[in-house]
Amino acid sequence: MSAPPGSRAALPDRLSMGLLVLTAVSGIVDAVSFLGLGHIFTANMTGNVAFLAFAAVGVPGISVASSIISLAAFLSGAVLGGYFGRGVAGPFRRRWLLLCATCEAALLVAAAIAGIAIDGDSTALVDRQYAVIVLTALAMGLRNATVQQLAVPGLTTTTVLTTTMTGLAADFALAGGSNPHMRRRLGSIVSLFVGAAIGAVLLRFGLSVPLIVGAVCVVFATVGYADA
């Protein structure tokens, strides 16, 4: 249903709130991948590049295959998001966001199903962990490309905070900047922190639980804006 004309101004705020929730989901996903699957990230690709460098110089306990698979899946999702979302604007942008959220939630649920086997049988870890890595990294790549196209000031990414923290510090009022997007940037930092903490706690109940919670959050974070 389309929003009445008087409510158009509220749409950016709804979108910002939704993106903050998605940022928290990124924290949940990285908690699952790093704490549940070993030294691997499926939302934060910067970490995987560093892990590959560590492995290249002989640091033990790092899976080169996992890092490469995660990078490849993330990039594949980003390519899909960039290709199919190109030129989407206006009301179609909201529909595209809802479609991407549905795809992301479905991928997270599929990863949760794969994670059930890992929780129940340690011998299934080698076979199923790659499925969890591929599905979650694909979801994060798709979403990251979508968020980048939305181009919301202060919330151009929902998976890493380096750029967010740089902008927050560089634009800080004491440094001579006006910092117009301080609340969004601070909200993004807090959201990722809270999401990672929630993910770590939910991992006590198995890999599948935090992934299901993340999928539910994705749907609810998006539907309010997409249907506005």
Side-chain angles (χ1 to χ4, degrees):
M1 180 177 66
S2 299
S7 67
R8 292 293 182 186
L11 292 182
D13 290 335
R14 291 190 182 189
L15 179 57
S16 297
M17 290 301 298
L19 293 179
L20 290 177
V21 175
L22 293 181
T23 302
V25 174
S26 296
I28 293 175
V29 169
D30 267 341
V32 169
S33 61
F34 187 82
L35 299 177
L37 299 174
H39 291 156
I40 179 69
F41 287 113
T42 56
N44 176 16
M45 292 299 109
T46 304
N48 288 328
V49 174
F51 289 152
L52 286 174
F54 299 154
V57 296
V59 175
I62 297 174
S63 172
V64 174
S66 294
S67 295
I68 292 176
I69 289 171
S70 181
L71 282 165
F74 183 92
L75 292 174
S76 297
V79 168
L80 290 173
Y83 179 78
F84 290 107
R86 186 176 302 167
V88 176
F92 295 102
R93 184 177 77 161
R94 294 197 296 275
R95 295 176 187 175
W96 167 242
L97 182 58
L98 181 59
L99 176 60
C100 287
T102 302
C103 291
E104 179 180 342
L107 288 167
L108 293 179
V109 170
I113 294 172
I116 292 174
I118 296 176
D119 292 331
D121 183 5
S122 60
T123 61
L125 179 60
V126 175
D127 296 330
R128 295 300 182 93
Q129 70 173 347
Y130 292 124
V132 177
I133 290 171
V134 168
L135 291 166
T136 54
L138 189 64
M140 294 298 100
L142 174 65
R143 187 228 287 170
N144 226 37
T146 303
V147 170
Q148 190 174 54
Q149 291 179 70
L150 293 175
V152 177
L155 289 171
T156 55
T157 179
T158 58
T159 54
V160 292
L161 295 178
T162 304
T163 301
T164 301
M165 289 183 171
T166 300
L168 183 65
D171 293 339
F172 191 63
L174 293 179
S178 59
N179 211 347
H181 309 300
M182 181 177 67
R183 290 184 179 180
R184 289 177 179 175
R185 287 166 172 162
L186 286 174
S188 182
I189 295 169
V190 172
S191 295
L192 191 67
F193 180 92
V194 171
I198 291 173
V201 171
L202 292 178
L203 269 175
R204 299 173 185 175
F205 306 99
L207 282 173
S208 60
V209 174
L211 292 173
I212 291 295
V213 170
V216 172
C217 289
V218 168
V219 173
F220 278 97
T222 311
V223 69
Y225 169 76
D227 288 344

